[in-house]
Amino acid sequence: MCYRFLSEVVRYCCSEGLSRSTCVVRKRILQRVTIHKPPRWELMCRVMILPIITVGLLAGCRPADPTRVKIVSSLPRTGSAKQQTDTIVRGIRMAIEEAQNKAGPFHIEYLDLDDSTAAAGQWTSEAEAANARRAMQDPDVCVYIGTFNSGAAKVSMPILNLGDLMMISPANTAVGLTKPGLGAPGEPEVYRPTGRMNYMRVVPADDLQGPLAADWAAKRGVKGVYILDDNEVYGKGVADLFDERCREIGIEVLGHDSIDSRAQEFKSLMASVKAAKPDLVYFGGTTQSKGGQLAKDMSSAGVEAMLMVPDGCREQVFIDSAGASNLEGRCFVTFGGLPPEKLTGKGLEFVERYKEKYGDVPEAYAVYGYEAACVAIEAIRRAGSKDRRAIADAALAIRDFKGALGNWGFDENGDTTMQTLTVSVVKNGRFEFEEILEADRKNNALEADADGGKSNQ
Amino acid sequence: MPALPPHLAMISLEFFLQQCLIGVTNGALIALVAMGYSMVYGIIGLINFAHGDLIMLGACLALSLVGASGLVDAGPTATWWGVVLLLLACGLFCGTLNMAVDRFIYKPLRNASKLAPLVSAIGVSFIFMNVGLFWLGPADRSFPELVPPTNLFSGDTLQFTYQDLLVVVVVVLLMVALSVLVRSTRLGRAMRAVSQDPTAAALVGVDVDRVIAATFFIGGALGGAASVIYSLYIKTIGFQMGFQNGLYAFTAAVLGGIGSIPGAVVGGLVIGLVRSLASAYVGERWTGAIVFAILIVILVFRPEGLLGRRTREKV
């Protein structure tokens, strides 16, 4: 049986792979193969199954260390996101150090994985999938902190779900990852092939960020907006939500265009924007998807509107890449939660310790890295075992967490109950806190939705 | 003139002219890069895939020079002279580098099959890219604004800045200089001869290797000038910019008829205009698709390109 299977595979490969010069041989083989060959899909399945079985066996064979747990993070550690992820990783390390490398009875080991490549300059699905598989196959890994980009989460979520490995993101904000009915059809169930939950995030999602940004614009007297997005999961998601809310509250949407984030310049696009005479230009995207270049071209095209960007651009690199003078006083950025300089209580302590240790102000997401690691340690402590399912359940059951971000918990989707959003403005080449946006209305609406959903079940 | 409502603003004449201006400026930059491709292809029939990355290295040098010389804070006159010096320095650097690559990599492969230098060019492109990665780091870098973005037109409807003007002026000057060089100098005549038939050229006393080396130097120097113009105009450089740059420029060279200098310029202008008009009237996300669709259509009906000739005369 085995021999026959192998010979079939070899023949199949031969018939596909031989060059034209050996056409006669190829024809002969093909003639023979066509008599015996099972359908192509069946062969493909067999070929796929073999490595999976092998890997499964290998992983099963490796002995786990009963006194040790591993926490891994998967973040883009090369490219322009590095500055931001550096501070996230420092946050994670600080949380683990403060717990004295202990979570309950276990000794913690931390592994900092990279989901980007130098050649791509940003995250790639191959690297992210490889990290997820690596974490899955190591029985000591109990928590996966990641990802930074929502698109990357889409890749690793279904992989990690199969092993019930707790995945906690310090930065994903795309709504579809957790919230039913708000993302694409089938979301978020497609990320949960087992039907169980293992993903959660400590950062508020874009169903808050997009609409609240629109409300803020209306309050500022904005009448017409021009919306741009980078056509990625995160950027397009938040831009669409912003668009929707603008139409609801009567701000005129003068145009909505997706950019090609590999393009080098956007001068023609900015001429179109200028002709539409908007009061505000909204860009749903990140520094890595050419946020800086857009701001530059906007300025050189003579567009005098305000520029608003979501939290994907809230990093110093964004200001550096756009040129501070092009953003000065007119670029506003929304961010879920409080910026480092406005944190109080435990958060303030974190910022102080961070400054002391690294001699630098943390970037906006550092505290989320810290918080994610704290939740991870707490979950392992509560579960008291290395059972991945138990750890994920313990984390999802957290309803009241007193952390650096304040008092918050996870809701039934694995989202944070924190509903604060802040707007910052670029001043003197840095982000400066502008105001806090509270999501009272949105909060109520969400609860009503959740109740409605429950009563329907 | 009263302000038009937004959906009508798109069809106004000013808007069309503005998009054409942007298209011509972008097209001029593409043409400058495309000329480098065409020069080298014209003389030895090699598609020099490393050309885009050569430009990237030139931009690295420009950034380092600007950083080291403190040109950012200099006055306006000093800045203009600085730009001229930058053009010369980067031209010299890229020209020499291109000539060295030819001497050590392409020359030993001169009599090998056509594929050997082609694959080597791809290899050189990767080597350059990694050098750029070490030089610049993985993140995109902002290039300081040396040339002021002051509008040359009064009023607000049309925008054409000194930066745009610089692109057009430099490209036109270089194109004229190159045409004169190829048409009416001794070296140009030698180049045309080598391009038509290297063996026959050698028989009548042309030093073929020296002519090819000179062509690589000139092609590289054009690339060096392009790198400075690119840095001043786009104002963002990164180690990966070579690929996208090379893609459009190579397309322009093929569109205009590869091997022909005026063809490269026409091809660059066509691509620049198509891109900006497509962005304005169809949608930004379709620009790439439209550019290549037009390329395919033109090549189906004129495989030799817009200005290409079927004869063997290439430069």
Side-chain angles (χ1 to χ4, degrees), chain A residues 118-119 268 274 293 296 300, chain B residues 156 159 235-236 239-240 276:
Chain A
S268 318
K274 191 184 173 197
Q293 188 64 35
K296 241 179 223 170
S300 59
Chain B
D156 195 36
Q159 181 96 0
K235 288 168 287 185
T236 306
F239 76 101
Q240 284 181 307
S276 70

Side-chain angles (χ1 to χ4, degrees), chain A residues 311-374:
Chain A
D311 59 340
C313 293
R314 201 195 188 283
E315 46 189 348
Q316 197 56 39
V317 188
F318 172 69
I319 301 182
D320 296 343
S321 69
S325 59
N326 294 326
L327 300 176
E328 189 68 24
R330 74 148 163 188
C331 175
F332 298 87
V333 51
T334 51
F335 178 69
L338 293 166
E341 66 271 20
K342 287 285 155 189
L343 288 169
T344 53
K346 275 191 172 177
L348 183 67
E349 283 169 31
F350 165 76
V351 174
E352 292 299 324
R353 278 198 306 275
Y354 185 100
K355 275 192 206 158
E356 202 176 295
K357 199 167 157 74
Y358 300 105
D360 198 5
V361 187
E363 289 263 2
Y365 274 117
V367 66
Y368 289 91
Y370 175 79
E371 196 82 334
C374 288

Side-chain angles (χ1 to χ4, degrees), chain A residues 258-270:
Chain A
S258 297
I259 62 161
D260 173 6
S261 57
R262 284 160 308 169
Q264 292 173 329
E265 43 78 35
F266 306 98
K267 290 173 195 285
S268 318
L269 176 65
M270 279 308 159

Side-chain angles (χ1 to χ4, degrees), chain A residues 30 68 82 113 116 150 184 221 269 289 296 351 358 417 424 443:
Chain A
L30 263 178
R68 199 173 61 156
K82 183 173 188 298
L113 300 179
S116 62
S150 297
L269 176 65
S289 56
K296 241 179 223 170
V351 174
Y358 300 105
T417 51
S424 306
N443 201 353

